Every structure is written in C-alpha cells, then in structure tokens.
Amino acid sequence: MQFPESGTYIPALMTAAKTGLSAPKVPAEIDFPHRHLLGIQDLSPDEITYLLDLSDSYAEHNRARGGKLDIMRDKTLINLFFEDSTRTRTSFELAGMRLGADVINIAVANSSIKKGETIIDTAMTLNAMHADALAVRHSNAGAVKLLSEKVNCAVINGGDGSHEHPTQALLDALAIRRRKGHLQGLLVALCGDIAHSRVARSNIYLLQTMGARVRVIAPPTLIPPAMERLGVEVFHDMRAGLEDCDIVMMLRLQRERMEGSFVPSVHEYFKFYGLDYDKLQHAKPDALIMHPGPMNRGVEIDSDVADDLDRSLIREQVEMGVAVRMACLDVLTRDRPDTTP
Amino acid sequence: MTGKIAFINARVIDPASGVDHAASESGGLLTDGASIVAMGPDIFNGGRPDVEEIVDCQGAVLAPGLVDMRVDFCEPGAEHKEDIESGSKAAAAGGVTAVVTLPDTAPAIDNASVLEFVARRARDVKLVKVFGYATVTRGANSDEIVEMGLLKEAGAVAFTDGRHSVANAKTLSRALKYALAFDTLIVQHAEEPNLSAGGVMQSGELSTRLGLPGIPREAETIMLDRDLALVKMTGGRYHAAHISTAEGVARIRAAKEAGLRVTCDTAPPYFALNELAVGEYRTFAKLSPPLRSEDDRQAIVEGLADGTIDCIASDHFPQDQESKRLPFELAEFGSSGLETLLALTLELVHNEHVSLSEALRKVTAAPSRLLDLPTGRLYAGAPADLVIFDPDKPARIEPDTFISKSKNSPFDGRLVQGQVIRTVVDGRTIYTADD
C-alpha cells in the first residue's frame, strides 16, 4: 500500500485551524510521565481522565470528518503484531494515519520472528529503523514490556498474553462515559473467560481506579486464582451477577488460549453464560451491552442482543478505539526533554 | 604430592562431631598430602612441626568443604551453559568441594558408560569431587527402571530423574522396592506433572495480575502424599528434593514421625525469596518448583530450624542468556546457585534461625551421610576437603563476577554476609579469594 507523503496534509490542518471547524479541542496538557503505555496499572486517575478527555476530542474530530492532522508528521508508527489481529491493528493504523504518521505493519506470519529471531533481535532491528512509536501485540504476558526495555521509542501495548490491553480498557471507558456521562459509581459486570482475558484485567484496573464497581461472572474454571484479591465480586450464576448492573461487558471465549478442557461444550456454555434477553432482564433496564470483539455469536452472546441498537455499545467501542489510539499516540510521541532511553 | 600444611588461627568447626574450637596461634588443623592428620585447640603447642606451608586463617572459620547434592553441570549435552570444568571452578569459588550432578543430561546418565564418561571428565579436570546420580528410569522420562545394581557399582551415589518427577506410581513403587536390594536412595522432584503442566510461577494473586499460568502448591503435596504412601508400602528410602511449600514440610515432618525412611532438602531461593521476586516478569526468578508465598518461605525456614529439612543444596541450574532473555512463559527454569550457596545459607545464621554449626551440617555432613560420600567431615584420617571463610564479611551478590558460565541468579544485588577465602580439596588449594 502506498501512503501519500505526510507533508501533503499541512495545508489541510492550517485551513482547519483558520476556520476553527475541525481542529480538535484538546484538554489542557498535563504532565504525562510515562514513556510507554504498557498497562492501566501504571496510570493514575488524573492520567486516565486526561487520556479520555483527549480521546473524546479526537472522537469529535473524527465524527466531524476533520481530516488528517499533522501531529505525527514525519513520525513513524510501526504496528508489530506477533499475534493475529484485524481490528486492533487496523485501529492503530487508522489512528496513526489520522495523526499524519507514516505507518508500517509488520505481521508475524511473514516476518523473521517465525524463523527463530528472538524478540530482542527484533527490537534491535526496529531501533535501527528509528520508529517513533510501536504498537505491539504478543501472545505472551510481559513480552511487550520486555521489548519496551530494548527499544528507543514509545511502545503501546496492543495486548500481551493474558496480562493487559490498555487501549481496549480506555476505549471501553470512553464509550461508557460518553453514554452514561461518568464512570464513578457504575456497577459493571465482566462476563466470560476472565482467566485468559487481558481485556478483563485492564478493565478491572481502570474501572476501579475511576470509582466504578466490578463484578466478574464466569464458570469457576474460567476465574483465575485469588480473583477476589483484585477487589472484584465473583459470581458463577449469571442472573444473580447481572442484578443491578449498569454495564454488561461480554468477553470472548478464547479457545486458542485454553489448555485442556475449561468448559465441556459451547452448547452448555451458551445456556448458562451466553447473554440473551432473558438473562439481560436481570440487569438494570437501561443496562448497556459491550463486547471487545470479535464476537462468537451464539457462544457468549445472542445475535439479537448484540445488534440491539438501543442497548449495544459494540459499534461505538470500535469507533472510540481509533480516537483512544490517536490520543495515546499523540501523548507518547510529544517532544519531551528526557527522551534518553 | 604436597607435604604438611598447618592451618592456624582458624575457628575449626566440624558439624558431624560437634567440634567448634576458637581460633588460636597454637591450634588449628594439620594436613599431610591428601589427608587431615591432626586437629585441635593445642596441636601446635609444642611448636610447629616441620611443615611445607603455614596458612594463617586470621580468625576465619575452617570447616569441611561444602557438599552440594544437587547441581547440573550440563555435560553431556548443554556445554554452552556449563561444563564440568566451569562448574567445578564455580563450585571451588563457592567453597564447595564435592558436588552431586543430576543425570537428566542429553544423553541421560542411565547406563554405566555415560556415568563413566562423566567420572573420567571430572578426573581430568581434577578440581572438586564430582559424584553422580543415575536416573531412575531410562531416559529420565520413561517407565523402565535402569540397571541400578550395575550403576551403583559404577559409582552412582543415588537415583533420580532430576527435574522430572517419576510420575507413574507403579514405576516408583518398583524403583523403591528394587533399590532396597542395593540399599540406595531414590531422590524425587515432587511435582504432580498434570497439575503443574503449562504453569510458570506460583498460582495466586500475582500470577493472576501478571496473566501467567500458575502452578498450585498442591502439585507438590499431591506428589508427596502419593510418594509417602508408596514409601510406607515398600519400606524404601526416599528423599524429596527442593521442598518449597509449608504443606510439603508438614508432610515430611509427619512421615519422619511415623518412622518412614524419608529425608528432604531445600535450596536457598525457597528460604530466602518468595514469589514477589518475580516482580514484573524477571525470568531469573523463574524456578522449578516456583518461588512460593511468604507463608511458605517462613515454613521452610522453620523446617530447617527444627531439622525436618535435612540438607540445603544449591539447585545450580545454569542457563545462558538466550534461555532467559525471553518472555517469561518461554524462558527456561533455573538459577545459577553454586557461588551463592554459602552466603545465603549463612543468612539463616545471621537471622538467628540456626546455629553456625547446624547451618554447616546441612551443606556438609548431612548430605554426605545421606549419600554415603567419603567427605564432609573433619577428623584425623579424613580427606583434607576444606573451606576457610569469613562468616561476617559483607558482600553484594554480583552475578557478572560469577565464574560459572551462566549468570542467571535471582539474588542479583542482594547484600549478604560471608566470603570464601580458600577452598582445599585433598590437601590442594583450588581457590583463594583475591584479597
């Protein structure tokens, strides 16, 4: 794929600035001390709020078809995906392009990693290419952090094993905040494969940091050890767990991460843990439904529920994904005095 | 052949006999060639005999050289991580004069010819005394028992499948029974392999936060329960290697009280560290068994103090950088331990959990008695396998300075007390500290 040179877009931005139509109304900058975005656990409430506010402004910019910006002009984003992904990779790609960056995708299937190159070797290679930001996904927990220690640019964790997926949690929070107006005090149910889910972990940290309460609902085999120690309530009965919930966040059954048998059959799983209107009745009447995608329709979520425009936030989650990734790329690639590795 | 050497000004400690003499000009230890000929507080009272060398220990401790009953020298098969020569040098620097090497090498030490190869290599290197285990099963991973009698004749000191558990109950029960004919010991890595499969650290809050698959404590207790039932059934001699859990200590304690022929050891990581050492994916803290919780660590210390845990071994598993500079799940298990064994064992003394003599027993007389090794004690006529060390000297563990080929220590930067000054094997000094 050919990208037009980023310089092309300066006039567009200048025009935008003149007319005041499309320049994002960015919140006042705060001191963002992180070089990388590896996990929600590293972020303070103020930093999360700032990222959400900035994302919100990009969301409006995108909705208004504000066009390309030059915030990352002459900068390069490399999407390094050691694990297959369509939506997250595309979302990062679009975010980078909207900020005016040059974007390169490296998929593992046709890279030297499959030929035995280690993650450290990969980092060395990337260093030589002088990228400004890396969006990385890897199937092993901690692998993105390991890479971040060896490269001389900003690294955004696009999901590492069952550990964290911070941009997903930010986009989920943004989608919720835009609809509900706030996060504080909400009761959120995370349902499904908690044990293998990085989305669940990042969401738990973010929602709790922002004052929401979190429940997890799953069969006991899909709840990881000492789950209560993370400050959540654990339910094995979905109807009881959904009682009074404002948000019902469904998680994908990650069959590829499962060693051995965690649930006896998809059929049984859907009967007890799949979201349908009958179970949804137990949540608040205005409860919203979310899913990080890709959905297994008929496994963890009924098609009618997923497609219910009044109740489902699923489409907005995807939309907010681009805005959140624009905000993260923006913040992490700003010129900073202490850019020594 | 060296002549007589007088070691003076040494606090001579022999855990086996309870000897503990204060350092003096007139006392110490006298060796002649490869043997100790005299020791005591006043052996040099009547003037020093005609000696080749006088070693002034300047008040340091002189004890039997350490006997490390669980090391991997990676030879044959993984010489890029360690070999008998580099491992022996690392041992000497750690005050260790005898090691027992694991047999799950490539090829495994499951027949006399491989065992003899290792013994020949060790003779050529001629530094520390290298004893070898043989495997329990062919290939260290099968259900077929090795030729225990022939292997024992060839020098195998005991039998173990190393890092593999003998998982098949019938195989272990036969091994325990068959070993009775040769009065030999079966050493087991007690971990139920189905329960631990895929796990990389202790199961719990930390593994959940890190998103890493866990290994529950029960993997150890289930295997111990089964094994101890088989020991009861067969009357065999059984030794559980590197006990890591509170429940594991309790099981061994109960088995000993019930009169079973059971012993166990642990390694410094299990009494000096807990799971928090894993931090944010530190692969040097990826060990097998995994580092456990603080409660477990305290129970291990208690087990050492009350004698439930008989021995301390270094669990020296060298790993090269390529095996450790990986995402946590993909990295190898193991830590380099020979050069930190003494200082970490002395932590138990400085923290007043055990006496100096008792701590030393667990790394000298206890393992050598268990495996019937001709070393680990001080008496006139014994081999002159000695370590001289300052038990109080402060030091910082710096893996970069390790002599071992591998620097994978979870104790990087730890402040300890205790420094080896000199290591002597068969009367020959094989290591002296620089300063």
Side-chain angles (χ1 to χ4, degrees), chain A residues 140-141 145 163 201 225 229, chain B residues 205 208-209 280-281 329-330:
Chain A
N140 292 128
K145 178 181 158 57
H163 178 222
R201 285 169 178 78
R229 298 288 295 272
Chain B
E205 182 186 349
T208 291
R209 284 187 185 278
E280 292 206 347
Y281 306 102
E329 283 165 82
L330 305 179

Side-chain angles (χ1 to χ4, degrees), chain A residues 104-123:
Chain A
I104 311 282
N105 291 312
I106 302 177
V108 75
N110 44 21
S111 82
S112 52
I113 289 90
K114 277 261 164 85
K115 297 169 199 144
E117 186 179 281
T118 68
I119 197 162
I120 308 283
D121 295 331
T122 307

Side-chain angles (χ1 to χ4, degrees), chain B residues 26-77:
Chain B
S26 56
L29 185 140
L30 181 66
T31 66
D32 187 1
S35 303
I36 297 168
V37 289
M39 54 187 276
D42 44 23
I43 54 168
F44 303 124
N45 255 352
R48 281 179 206 133
D50 182 20
V51 294
E52 190 171 290
E53 189 186 352
I54 293 170
V55 177
D56 184 346
C57 300
Q58 299 181 328
V61 172
L62 189 159
L66 272 49
V67 177
D68 189 344
M69 67 179 293
R70 192 174 176 85
V71 308
D72 181 8
F73 276 178
C74 309
E75 188 173 343

Side-chain angles (χ1 to χ4, degrees), chain A residues 41 119-120 138 140-143 145-146 162-163 201 205 224-227 229-230 259, chain B residues 197-198 203-205 207-212 214 280-281 322 325-330:
Chain A
Q41 273 191 109
I119 197 162
I120 308 283
H138 197 284
N140 292 128
K145 178 181 158 57
L146 179 65
S162 305
H163 178 222
R201 285 169 178 78
Y205 303 139
M227 193 66 203
R229 298 288 295 272
L230 271 62
E259 207 170 297
Chain B
S203 277
E205 182 186 349
S207 70
T208 291
R209 284 187 185 278
L210 292 172
L212 292 172
E280 292 206 347
Y281 306 102
E322 277 57 50
R325 287 208 314 178
L326 289 170
F328 199 88
E329 283 165 82
L330 305 179

Side-chain angles (χ1 to χ4, degrees), chain B residues 375-389:
Chain B
T375 183
R377 299 178 57 186
L378 302 182
Y379 58 90
D385 298 343
L386 314 170
V387 60
I388 299 164
F389 66 94

